[in-house]
Amino acid sequence: MTMTRQTQTRRAVLRAAMASAGLIGAPGILRAAGDVQRRNISAFRTHDWHDHFDNLGKGIIIADTASKMLQHWTAEGEMRIYPTSVPLTDELTKRGYTEVVEKRKNPGWAPTPSMRERNPEWPAYVEGGDPTNPLGTRALYLSWTYYRIHGTQDTRKIGRKSSNGCIGLYNRQIEEVYDRAPLGTQVKLI
């Protein structure tokens, strides 16, 4: 099966953009690309943090719900990208500026009141470390009530519209972001 010229051009543009941004060969990108289905890799649309923030501060996270990816810059300017799960519908999430206000290893999970209303059969609480816990191994709590950037035990969700409002990453990738993102990291959901 041969590639169309349009497909070849799109891939060439993506490779050139990633190379010029210094992204090719970055460890996080290589790990992220190995975990995502092929059709989702080409959907990544990277952003320049300067278009969204005045300074790096303690670091920046931009979560793009359209391209299902998260970019994370450290305070030193090192950037990595990760594939994500995103909300099922636009009504289930917020967009705009927030920040990381809390970090938890093996967080417990309780459905929000609106989740309980939609799914009364769901448990009231799931302990951290439980394989059925939808928050995975790490969670970054945002200044918005009920919104998180977290891991997931269900790797089928990554690269899809599958969450109830949060941004999900593979567990090993949220662990990496967790270690690199201090409290006060600036966040923007677009």
Side-chain angles (χ1 to χ4, degrees):
M1 181 177 199
T2 61
M3 285 194 290
T4 67
R5 179 154 172 68
Q6 182 180 14
T7 302
Q8 290 172 334
T9 302
R10 188 178 319 142
R11 288 182 183 167
V13 168
L14 179 61
R15 276 194 301 275
M18 289 177 71
S20 69
L23 301 178
I24 293 184
I29 293 167
L30 294 176
R31 283 192 294 276
D35 290 337
V36 70
Q37 295 175 4
R38 185 76 183 149
R39 71 178 187 280
N40 291 331
I41 293 172
S42 63
F44 285 171
R45 178 181 57 209
T46 59
H47 298 272
D48 183 341
W49 69 263
H50 295 92
D51 295 337
H52 303 276
F53 295 92
D54 292 331
N55 60 65
L56 276 170
K58 294 181 177 183
I60 291 173
I61 292 173
I62 296 178
D64 185 335
T65 59
S67 64
K68 300 174 192 78
M69 70 92 168
L70 178 142
Q71 285 177 258
H72 175 236
W73 289 263
T74 63
E76 294 77 32
E78 180 188 350
M79 191 272 287
R80 296 183 185 177
I81 68 172
Y82 306 92
T84 66
S85 64
V86 298
L88 289 163
T89 66
D90 288 340
E91 295 77 33
L92 289 175
T93 196
K94 287 187 172 189
R95 286 188 175 66
Y97 294 91
T98 182
E99 68 179 88
V100 176
V101 296
E102 186 177 348
K103 297 167 48 170
R104 290 189 191 169
K105 291 183 179 181
N106 296 315
W109 174 79
T112 66
S114 62
M115 286 180 199
R116 295 283 297 165
E117 191 175 300
R118 288 189 310 271
N119 304 285
E121 73 282 3
W122 283 5
Y125 184 76
V126 179
E127 292 287 335
D130 186 311
T132 64
N133 184 322
L135 295 184
T137 61
R138 303 286 185 277
L140 303 177
Y141 289 64
L142 306 178
S143 62
W144 300 329
T145 305
Y146 302 126
Y147 290 91
R148 317 271 186 264
I149 298 171
H150 61 80
T152 182
Q153 312 292 8
D154 187 352
T155 59
R156 298 169 300 170
K157 290 184 171 191
I158 304 302
R160 301 177 188 278
K161 290 183 175 187
S162 59
S163 83
N164 280 283
C166 296
I167 301 297
L169 284 82
Y170 291 109
N171 278 329
R172 75 173 176 274
Q173 292 177 343
I174 189 59
E175 290 170 11
E176 185 175 289
V177 174
Y178 180 96
D179 289 342
R180 294 165 28 97
L183 296 178
T185 296
Q186 304 169 93
V187 177
K188 184 175 184 186
L189 268 68
I190 55 175

